């Protein structure tokens, strides 16, 4: 019997298995990603790892350099990982030009649909931290209660744009990904929230405990490893959600016209 709703726990279970599968089948790429994160964390002193004031020791050129580096590393890792999990490709079975075009499209989509919403959320939240007016604060909280769920809803509706680009970037569209996630938004959100909670307990809590004892180098290593594992897990979860939405949902919606991917 086909499931009509995204199975959250089963999806998480498959995603965690996929994490192990990616590490075993792509060990060189995973180690390279971890090494890049480790170098970044070494260059950025560990005392700044848990700061929330921003990039206090970076100048503008360094910020853009590391921003571009992280986006590029994610694209280099995520494209073959998505294809491995979704289509079963065990290597980059694409020509060089197609791979470059897909990577550029992925980077652009990642910045637009992942990075910019986070910056926008930080800008929206910042007035709450500096205001002294209770009336303004109350009004602002009410507005945020309305605005944030709306933004999160559409953020999730378009969240499968990244695996869609990896699989077939020339045929992807927002209408296509919007159709894929229809009716599954809050279950996708719950899946991502649970995954975040799992890895927060596994990595962030031990890192904070080690940091409190002053073992900065241990913290740097833990953060580098956790950044790599979280990246792998994020790709794995989005792949499992994409597979379910593409395959299972198309069965549930049999008889409904599928929107064009063009």
């Amino acid at each position: 019997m086909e499931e009509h709703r995204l199975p959250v726990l089963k999806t998480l279970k498959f995603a965690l298995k996929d994490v192990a599968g990616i590490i075993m089948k792509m060990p060189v790429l995973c180690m390279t990603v971890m090494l890049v994160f480790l170098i970044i964390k070494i260059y950025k002193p560990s005392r700044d790892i848990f700061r929330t004031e921003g990039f206090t020791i970076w100048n503008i050129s360094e910020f853009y350099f590391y921003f571009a580096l992280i986006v590029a590393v994610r694209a280099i890792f995520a494209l073959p990982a998505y294809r491995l999990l979704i289509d079963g490709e065990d290597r980059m079975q694409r020509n060089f030009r197609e791979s470059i075009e897909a990577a550029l499209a992925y980077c652009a989509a990642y910045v637009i649909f992942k990075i910019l919403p986070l910056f926008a959320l930080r800008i929206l939240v910042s007035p709450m931290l500096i205001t002294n007016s209770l009336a303004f604060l109350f009004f602002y909280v009410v507005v945020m209660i309305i605005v944030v769920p709306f933004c999160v809803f559409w953020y999730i509706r378009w969240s499968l744009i990244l695996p869609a680009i990896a699989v077939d970037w020339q045929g992807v569209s927002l209408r296509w990904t919007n159709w894929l996630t229809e009716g599954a938004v809050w279950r996708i959100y719950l899946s991502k929230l649970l995954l975040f909670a799992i890895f927060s307990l596994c990595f962030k809590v031990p890192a904070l405990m080690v940091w409190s004892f002053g073992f900065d180098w241990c913290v740097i290593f833990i953060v580098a490893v956790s950044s790599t594992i979280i990246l792998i897990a994020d790709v794995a979860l989005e792949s499992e959600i994409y597979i379910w939405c593409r395959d299972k949902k198309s069965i549930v919606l049999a008889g409904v016209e599928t929107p064009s991917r063009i």
Side-chain angles (χ1 to χ4, degrees), residues 36 54 59 86 93 130 157 165 170 188 199 204 226 244:
V36 171
N59 59 38
I86 296 173
Q93 299 174 344
I130 61 176
R157 288 299 295 268
I165 287 174
Q170 293 177 325
I188 294 175
F199 285 105
K204 290 188 177 182
S226 67
W244 185 89

Side-chain angles (χ1 to χ4, degrees), residues 166-257:
V167 174
D168 183 15
W169 77 270
Q170 293 177 325
V172 72
S173 69
L174 287 180
R175 187 184 178 197
W176 167 252
T177 56
N178 196 40
W179 178 80
L180 284 178
T181 56
E182 184 179 2
V185 171
W186 299 114
R187 284 179 168 263
I188 294 175
Y189 176 76
L190 180 59
S191 300
K192 290 178 174 289
L193 190 64
L194 289 176
L195 188 72
F196 173 79
I198 290 171
F199 285 105
S200 292
L201 291 175
C202 291
F203 292 109
K204 290 188 177 182
V205 172
L208 285 170
M209 293 177 62
V210 172
W211 178 64
S212 66
F213 288 105
F215 299 113
D216 289 350
W217 285 98
C218 292
V219 174
I220 290 175
F221 181 75
I222 292 173
V223 171
V225 173
S226 67
S227 298
T228 305
I229 298 298
I230 289 171
L231 170 57
I232 298 172
D234 186 46
V235 170
L237 181 61
E238 287 186 348
S239 297
E240 289 296 336
I241 293 172
Y242 183 86
I243 292 170
W244 185 89
C245 289
R246 184 189 63 179
D247 299 339
K248 303 296 184 181
K249 190 167 179 291
S250 64
I251 296 174
V252 173
L253 299 180
V256 178
E257 183 181 357

